[in-house]
Amino acid sequence: MTYCVGMQLNAGLIFMSDTRTNAGVDNISTFRKMYSWEVPGERVITVMAAGNLATTQSVISQLEERTKALQDRRPSILEAPSMFQVANIIGETLRETIRSGALAGANAESQFGATLIVGGQIAGQKMCMFLIYPEGNFIEATTDTPFFQSGETKYGRPILVRAYEPGMSFAEAAKLLMVSFDSTLKANLSVGLPFDFQIVRKDECRIAHNARIEADDPYFHEISRGWGTALKQAFRSLPEYDLSL
Amino acid sequence: MTYCVGMQLNAGLIFMSDTRTNAGVDNISTFRKMYSWEVPGERVITVMAAGNLATTQSVISQLEERTKALQDRRPSILEAPSMFQVANIIGETLRETIRSGALAGANAESQFGATLIVGGQIAGQKMCMFLIYPEGNFIEATTDTPFFQSGETKYGRPILVRAYEPGMSFAEAAKLLMVSFDSTLKANLSVGLPFDFQIVRKDECRIAHNARIEADDPYFHEISRGWGTALKQAFRSLPEYDLSL
């Protein structure tokens, strides 16, 4: 499985993805699930992938035009006139990849399925974020639904629902993502460290911060320990149930 | 969907289940999913059901021997010599019910599936709790895994994993269940109030406390509000991510 979260803040976009892939619990590996394209100052596009790894790696390779020689590559997502067009191109690439995988084998398309979170900005246009379905269509984040999760979304959702605020700083949002990922990690073996982490500030059209949170990252461990303690304190602060009722 | 949790404490057993059933989001109903059999002082057995409602209601009716006239009913689970035998009888009834449902129609057995949490005690014997699978086999709660969840388990799991302690009082454990159910409710429409709630004290062999937490229950709403506030405070108390890293 996988866990990816993209959040739209007033200040910009923030992304985090884990790196664990598995084909059974006895066959786990580490693969990057976050990919970016950047023409600093002109556009920045970040994609996070959840689902069949062969599908998502193939989609990324096609977007990077890796069928062509290095000097001939002019990825069309770097030439699309709008983020909506970028999402369209990525969605079509995803749908075709899934379809060709299903045609080649006897299995259903769902076997090759994948879901992508795509966010970014083109200079002079609105910053935006999309969730692209295996069918190639997509939805856009709005102020009503300002964050997208993909993969193993349930464990980490309650804290996002409760603590997310559009006006939060990147430092706070990073903390929120760490807590959400920690809750998922604690409950599900199919999500694992290291995490990839990225920030795009509004109207900068470049990657402002890019980091890999390794297994021994001191901040993540401080959050994980601290959250356990803080949760217990929060829990203790609530009134107990009156059994005489 | 459904959410049920059974916890084994040093002090006894505590159970909570929601009451929402749905066949699509436009067809929701309220049904009890917690059933008890009690010979006060001699034995107490509580079952919580998750899965296909026709299956679980049929299982309960069979356990209650509702095919017989009222005066002829002597439910075998009230005569079984041990809780292990009780779990066996319930597991067999479940498996046969699922199988007969699948035979009657063209659908796969999984359509009729259900999972049961069974807990209780027979006088002079050990208090115990089982999770019974659709196949009729089961696992027993131990000190390593002292609680079982069924249904929509993921949202409410992180707080259980973090705050459960075998030595907690029933009043604390009830609070923990309320928080876990509240986290689930906030994220998933298929789990809904009212909740059924029950406590069995160790070696009493009877139901010590039985309540229905209604939609307007003041304690539940106090916990729900308080937990939102306490979570945000807990979140604020943690150090922020250092973006200069």
Side-chain angles (χ1 to χ4, degrees), chain B residues 159-233:
Chain B
I159 184 63
L160 290 182
V161 170
R162 243 96 189 212
Y164 170 88
E165 279 164 30
M168 68 203 314
S169 70
F170 284 118
E172 285 173 314
K175 178 167 75 168
L176 178 55
L177 289 177
M178 300 274 177
V179 170
S180 178
F181 272 70
D182 178 55
S183 295
T184 309
L185 217 62
K186 281 273 182 303
N188 196 305
L189 284 180
S190 74
V191 175
L193 285 154
F195 304 144
D196 288 309
F197 170 57
Q198 202 178 91
I199 287 171
V200 173
R201 285 186 214 281
K202 194 175 173 179
D203 298 332
E204 283 191 0
C205 294
R206 63 177 189 88
I207 296 165
H209 185 83
N210 194 31
R212 174 158 277 201
I213 313 298
E214 297 287 352
D216 60 353
D217 184 84
Y219 177 70
F220 180 73
H221 285 280
E222 189 180 350
I223 290 293
S224 179
R225 262 194 317 275
W227 184 240
T229 311
L231 263 192
K232 282 180 195 164
Q233 257 164 17

Side-chain angles (χ1 to χ4, degrees), chain A residues 16-238:
Chain A
M16 195 177 275
S17 59
D18 84 317
T19 53
R20 182 162 292 175
T21 68
N22 70 302
V25 287
D26 55 349
N27 186 1
I28 65 169
S29 316
T30 300
F31 280 95
R32 190 171 178 86
K33 301 169 189 175
M34 185 189 288
Y35 307 88
S36 292
W37 291 261
E38 188 187 22
V39 181
E42 196 276 322
R43 76 177 61 197
V44 59
I45 301 162
T46 292
V47 174
M48 289 187 297
N52 183 292
L53 183 65
T55 296
T56 58
Q57 284 198 344
S58 169
V59 168
I60 300 301
S61 295
Q62 289 172 69
L63 292 174
E64 286 181 341
E65 300 201 327
R66 284 172 57 189
T67 51
K68 298 186 184 172
L70 205 56
Q71 67 277 11
D72 297 333
R73 294 179 192 168
R74 297 170 56 86
S76 54
I77 56 171
L78 289 183
E79 302 193 332
S82 69
M83 280 302 295
F84 183 85
Q85 276 290 352
V86 168
N88 249 326
I89 293 168
I90 298 176
E92 273 171 38
T93 310
L94 176 62
R95 184 181 59 227
E96 288 310 315
T97 306
I98 294 172
R99 189 175 293 169
S100 68
L103 285 176
N107 281 307
E109 290 197 7
S110 65
Q111 295 269 17
F112 300 96
T115 305
L116 306 175
I117 294 172
V118 176
Q121 190 173 17
I122 296 174
Q125 301 183 30
K126 200 167 64 75
M127 188 181 72
C128 49
M129 189 169 66
F130 303 94
L131 181 69
I132 304 185
Y133 296 106
E135 292 77 9
N137 58 351
F138 49 84
I139 57 174
E140 183 175 353
T142 62
T143 49
D144 289 328
T145 302
F147 59 83
F148 288 135
Q149 301 170 280
S150 63
E152 190 55 69
T153 62
K154 296 186 178 183
Y155 305 105
R157 188 170 179 83
I159 184 64
L160 289 182
V161 170
R162 236 88 193 224
Y164 170 88
E165 280 164 28
M168 68 202 316
S169 69
F170 285 119
E172 286 173 314
K175 179 167 75 170
L176 177 55
L177 289 177
M178 300 273 178
V179 170
S180 178
F181 272 70
D182 178 56
S183 294
T184 309
L185 217 63
K186 281 273 183 301
N188 195 305
L189 283 182
S190 74
V191 175
L193 284 154
F195 304 145
D196 287 310
F197 171 56
Q198 200 178 92
I199 287 171
V200 173
R201 285 187 214 281
K202 195 175 174 180
D203 298 333
E204 283 192 358
C205 294
R206 62 178 189 89
I207 297 164
H209 186 84
N210 194 31
R212 173 157 277 200
I213 313 298
E214 297 286 353
D216 59 353
D217 185 83
Y219 177 71
F220 180 73
H221 284 280
E222 189 180 350
I223 290 294
S224 178
R225 263 194 317 274
W227 183 241
T229 311
L231 263 191
K232 281 181 197 164
Q233 254 162 20
F235 179 69
R236 269 196 295 269
S237 76
L238 298 178

